[in-house]
Amino acid sequence: MTSPTPAPSATPGTPRARATIADVAAEAGVSKATVSRYFNHRERLLSPDIAARVEAAIAKLAYVPSPMAQALSHGRSRLIGLVVADITNPYSVAVLRGAEKACQEAGYLVMLFNLGNDRERERAAIDALASYQVDGFILNTLGQGEGLADVNTLHGKPAVLVDRRHAGLAADFVALDNEAAMRETCAHLVEQGWQSLLYVTQPLQGVSSRLERTAAFRACIAAQGPKVRGEVLEIDAQQGEDALARALAEFREREGSKVRCAVVAGNSVVTLRVAAAVARLQWTFGQELGFVGFDDPEWAPLIRPGLSTVAQPTDAIGQRAAQCLLERIGGLQGAVRENLLPGTLIVRGSSLGV
Amino acid sequence: MTSPTPAPSATPGTPRARATIADVAAEAGVSKATVSRYFNHRERLLSPDIAARVEAAIAKLAYVPSPMAQALSHGRSRLIGLVVADITNPYSVAVLRGAEKACQEAGYLVMLFNLGNDRERERAAIDALASYQVDGFILNTLGQGEGLADVNTLHGKPAVLVDRRHAGLAADFVALDNEAAMRETCAHLVEQGWQSLLYVTQPLQGVSSRLERTAAFRACIAAQGPKVRGEVLEIDAQQGEDALARALAEFREREGSKVRCAVVAGNSVVTLRVAAAVARLQWTFGQELGFVGFDDPEWAPLIRPGLSTVAQPTDAIGQRAAQCLLERIGGLQGAVRENLLPGTLIVRGSSLGV
DNA sequence: TTGTATGCGTTATCAA
DNA sequence: TTGATAACGCATACAA
């Protein structure tokens, strides 16, 4: 009680500092090294009785090693740096969720850096994360070769790319199998009798997922032969929703009233805007316009007659990304791996034939 | 060039390790302490010429102090621990976004821990975060007194509570002004001629925001006198959407066809479920059922004739939370602060009179 | 099998 | 004003 040294007594109420390895060593009557070994080389080189004493001391003091100190000493921090292009995007969040979960389960914590779609900050993000000695990166960001010029940028840490590839960066990659999903989507629409397809996408801007989906769409159209027509429309955030409405109206007029027209939306952002435009036009999905959208927002069933969508296995993507990264952190060598996960076409009313 | 020691030369290609304070000291021909002072006490106790030399060395080596080492030595990590109850909830994400942004701008990084609605992990979350020496916590979680028994749990670090209060925890609090928002909502509905109001909420379960909104609803009804009736309905995730549809139908039948009935949804989760139930009933908002929902999901304008909502200033809430916390970290003492931010009633078609 | 000593990158205390 | 030097909490050679 009157001891001048802050003895780690079990005084509740006193928010005493965390026990350190030295406290445990003293409590168990062994050296710090022994306590350290208890954690790192347990069975291999520790006698049972000593191990038991250490274990008891650890339990008594509720000792938990400091990851910061471990990071300083040993290099590893059990920290994963997660850079996301836009945390406003539900897709990113869904992936983040899966990744964070997998990391948590593996005893890693996630440090988050949101770019807010600002490419300039990408380099800063990685540097900031690296300064905390993260063991690796999960990157859902960019398209161009701007920030991530080369592996050097990553400070020698492993990384996994999610959803968006990067030319200069040889890293494991996890994403939706865009080509297969697009094939299934187009096949379904054609089968249901839609004859002219309009693929609406956000500006390509070198974003690999957008490029791939667009290319896959064009390939599908080409494969169908002359009986099916296809167009691509890029929209950007600037133009209002009536600009899109006009574009859709023109599309239908161009094709003529005999031709059944459908839209394929490149992601949930586009889906929202198309739905708004269609509402403004007073059209009904499945009638004036067929529809399938990539991503499956929770409100898709609410827009009559229900929006058909391609659901991404976001949780699996996130978990797979984390798993890939953890394997690399664990020392796995070898060629870059490519994980293309299958989407699920959810057919609701908007894509059905009349 | 031929120096055997790994001189920090500007060899690109070689992923050389980060420069340390010792490298800078050597480069500038001063001691490590001097370099440290350059960062921490710059002008106060450093001669201009030495400062210039240090500055040059820092620039040349692109030196950045290691936050990990700083944390070890000096206690502060420039890390904020963010615990969120459910990252699937767009509200949480929106707040997170504002908070993360503010932290980033202040030079702090955010460590994320998602509870996935699992209360058991709350204590573990805080402990895990604390082990990384976070400087403070932003907590958006729980209701009951389970995990966060007392301030002791926080390892002596400051915290700010977002959206949900906690009885045993005297910490700054940031949230929507639920009472004012509910008052405005009810006044609007009554003014538009809705006579019987049903407040639909997720299970209260001691969650303060749910309790407050429910209490505010009851108070509003009471204040209106006998001309307006009000009921509260708790729904849980278990029951299917037709259970809710039945409940809504019964509600209308009970009140009779003469009485204009409206629903107030407690948050966006409830809004989604009510919208699904109304679709199933083939009702139209604003006709068979009036509607105002807390939270303003992006799809609210798409459900005809447009869903009226109370939008929360999520970004401001997040930023304010971060600001509060950073002030406390900066040493601010004094009584716990309560930040109630105003919501915005967005009137669309669903709440208008006939 | 266990203990001692050293280093990881910083800050802080104490001399000079 | 500046420079040694000792922590900070841990892991790991090395010695015993």
Side-chain angles (χ1 to χ4, degrees):
Chain A
M1 296 301 216
T2 55
S3 161
T5 55
S9 62
T11 324
T14 307
R16 69 186 182 288
R18 287 164 42 108
T20 77
I21 199 172
D23 298 328
V24 177
E27 174 73 30
V30 299
S31 76
K32 295 193 294 178
T34 300
V35 178
S36 175
R37 278 191 275 261
Y38 175 83
F39 284 98
N40 303 308
H41 310 284
R42 180 139 20 190
E43 316 308 348
R44 207 152 49 84
L45 36 80
L46 223 56
S47 67
D49 54 332
I50 292 272
R53 277 188 12 226
V54 173
E55 183 168 1
I58 289 171
K60 175 171 180 189
L61 302 181
Y63 168 71
V64 179
S66 155
M68 310 286 286
Q70 290 182 335
L72 240 204
S73 167
H74 176 258
R76 270 165 235 133
S77 63
R78 298 191 83 73
L79 236 32
I80 301 292
L82 181 40
V83 183
V84 32
D86 177 18
I87 203 169
T88 282
N89 185 335
Y91 169 86
S92 302
V93 174
V95 169
L96 184 166
R97 183 173 169 283
E100 198 259 0
K101 185 171 152 205
C103 290
Q104 243 184 63
E105 283 167 1
Y108 282 74
L109 242 34
V110 167
M111 294 191 54
L112 178 67
F113 201 112
N114 174 37
L115 259 29
N117 272 328
D118 180 357
R119 294 177 149 177
E120 306 304 317
R121 279 154 70 196
E122 170 176 282
R123 182 63 179 263
I126 291 179
D127 288 346
L129 257 13
S131 77
Y132 280 93
Q133 305 268 51
V134 294
D135 293 341
F137 298 95
I138 297 179
L139 268 18
N140 165 45
T141 167
L142 43 80
Q144 310 289 43
E146 308 297 343
L148 283 185
D150 50 47
V151 192
N152 225 334
T153 316
L154 298 177
H155 304 262
K157 308 289 184 185
V160 53
L161 265 23
V162 173
D163 189 53
R164 302 179 180 189
R165 298 171 199 274
H166 184 80
L169 213 56
D172 290 339
F173 177 69
V174 185
L176 176 70
D177 185 342
N178 288 308
E179 196 189 324
M182 184 61 86
R183 258 203 315 271
E184 189 178 358
T185 297
C186 289
H188 166 70
L189 284 168
V190 168
E191 186 196 40
Q192 292 291 319
W194 305 98
Q195 301 157 297
S196 182
L197 272 34
L198 178 66
Y199 179 66
V200 184
T201 175
Q202 291 185 289
L204 300 182
Q205 292 177 339
V207 176
S208 71
S209 54
R210 295 178 189 166
L211 290 168
E212 285 176 14
R213 287 176 195 173
T214 305
F217 175 79
R218 291 211 157 96
C220 289
I221 295 299
Q224 295 290 343
K227 65 180 191 286
V228 176
R229 288 177 35 81
E231 279 182 45
V232 172
L233 174 64
E234 283 185 48
I235 57 174
D236 60 11
Q238 266 58 293
Q239 49 189 276
E241 78 182 33
D242 33 38
L244 177 55
R246 273 197 305 278
L248 293 180
E250 283 166 19
F251 167 61
R252 275 206 67 202
E253 282 167 23
R254 221 165 31 233
E255 298 298 313
S257 56
K258 304 281 189 181
V259 180
R260 300 192 65 223
C261 296
V263 157
V264 176
N267 64 18
S268 63
V269 174
V270 173
T271 296
L272 182 67
R273 301 197 52 199
V274 169
V278 164
R280 166 155 312 197
L281 289 164
Q282 307 256 41
W283 288 356
T284 301
F285 282 112
Q287 310 276 19
E288 290 88 351
L289 196 69
F291 181 89
V292 175
F294 274 63
D295 295 343
D296 182 46
E298 54 180 11
W299 47 272
L302 295 181
I303 309 297
R304 339 186 181 199
L307 259 30
S308 296
T309 60
V310 176
Q312 292 200 46
T314 50
D315 208 70
I317 290 175
Q319 298 210 41
R320 187 82 192 88
Q323 185 190 339
C324 271
L325 183 57
L326 292 173
E327 286 169 0
R328 293 296 186 185
I329 289 173
L332 176 68
Q333 299 293 324
V336 160
R337 293 173 295 173
E338 182 130 323
N339 299 270
L340 267 26
L341 280 57
T344 306
L345 177 64
I346 300 176
V347 176
R348 300 193 181 94
S350 68
S351 62
L352 295 181
V354 276
Chain B
M1 296 300 216
T2 56
S3 160
T5 55
S9 62
T11 324
T14 308
R16 68 186 182 287
R18 287 165 42 110
T20 76
I21 200 171
D23 298 328
V24 176
E27 174 74 30
V30 299
S31 75
K32 296 193 295 175
T34 300
V35 178
S36 176
R37 278 190 275 260
Y38 175 83
F39 284 98
N40 303 309
H41 311 284
R42 181 135 24 187
E43 316 307 349
R44 208 152 48 83
L45 37 81
L46 220 57
S47 67
D49 54 332
I50 292 271
R53 281 195 358 233
V54 172
E55 183 168 2
I58 289 171
K60 175 171 179 189
L61 302 181
Y63 167 71
V64 180
S66 156
M68 311 285 286
Q70 290 182 345
L72 238 206
S73 168
H74 160 269
R76 268 165 236 132
S77 63
R78 298 192 82 74
L79 236 32
I80 300 292
L82 180 41
V83 183
V84 30
D86 177 18
I87 204 169
T88 282
N89 184 335
Y91 169 86
S92 301
V93 174
V95 169
L96 184 166
R97 182 174 170 283
E100 198 258 359
K101 185 172 152 205
C103 289
Q104 241 183 65
E105 283 167 1
Y108 282 73
L109 241 34
V110 166
M111 295 191 54
L112 178 67
F113 202 111
N114 175 37
L115 259 30
N117 272 329
D118 180 356
R119 296 178 147 173
E120 306 303 318
R121 279 153 71 195
E122 170 175 281
R123 182 63 179 263
I126 291 180
D127 288 346
L129 258 12
S131 77
Y132 280 93
Q133 305 269 49
V134 295
D135 293 341
F137 298 94
I138 297 179
L139 269 17
N140 165 46
T141 168
L142 29 90
Q144 310 290 43
E146 308 298 340
L148 283 185
D150 50 46
V151 192
N152 225 335
T153 316
L154 297 177
H155 304 261
K157 309 288 183 184
V160 53
L161 265 23
V162 174
D163 190 53
R164 302 178 180 190
R165 298 172 199 273
H166 184 80
L169 212 57
D172 291 339
F173 177 69
V174 185
L176 175 70
D177 186 342
N178 288 309
E179 194 189 326
M182 184 60 86
R183 258 204 314 272
E184 189 177 359
T185 297
C186 289
H188 166 69
L189 283 169
V190 169
E191 185 195 41
Q192 292 291 321
W194 304 98
Q195 300 156 297
S196 182
L197 273 33
L198 178 67
Y199 179 65
V200 185
T201 176
Q202 291 186 289
L204 301 182
Q205 291 177 340
V207 176
S208 71
S209 54
R210 295 179 189 164
L211 289 169
E212 285 175 15
R213 286 175 196 173
T214 305
F217 175 79
R218 291 212 157 94
C220 289
I221 296 298
Q224 295 290 344
K227 66 180 189 289
V228 176
R229 290 177 32 81
E231 279 181 45
V232 171
L233 174 65
E234 284 185 46
I235 58 175
D236 60 12
Q238 267 58 293
Q239 50 188 276
E241 78 182 33
D242 32 39
L244 177 55
R246 273 198 305 278
L248 293 180
E250 282 166 19
F251 167 62
R252 275 206 67 203
E253 282 167 24
R254 222 168 27 237
E255 299 297 313
S257 57
K258 303 281 190 183
V259 180
R260 300 192 66 223
C261 296
V263 156
V264 176
N267 64 17
S268 62
V269 174
V270 173
T271 296
L272 182 67
R273 302 196 51 198
V274 169
V278 164
R280 166 156 311 198
L281 289 164
Q282 307 257 41
W283 288 356
T284 301
F285 281 112
Q287 310 276 17
E288 290 87 351
L289 195 68
F291 181 88
V292 174
F294 274 64
D295 295 343
D296 183 46
E298 55 181 11
W299 47 271
L302 295 181
I303 308 296
R304 6 196 153 182
L307 258 30
S308 296
T309 60
V310 176
Q312 292 200 45
T314 51
D315 208 71
I317 289 175
Q319 297 211 41
R320 187 82 192 87
Q323 185 190 340
C324 271
L325 183 58
L326 292 173
E327 286 170 359
R328 292 298 186 184
I329 289 173
L332 176 68
Q333 298 293 324
V336 160
R337 294 172 295 174
E338 182 130 325
N339 298 271
L340 267 25
L341 280 57
T344 306
L345 177 64
I346 300 176
V347 177
R348 301 194 179 94
S350 69
S351 62
L352 295 181
V354 276

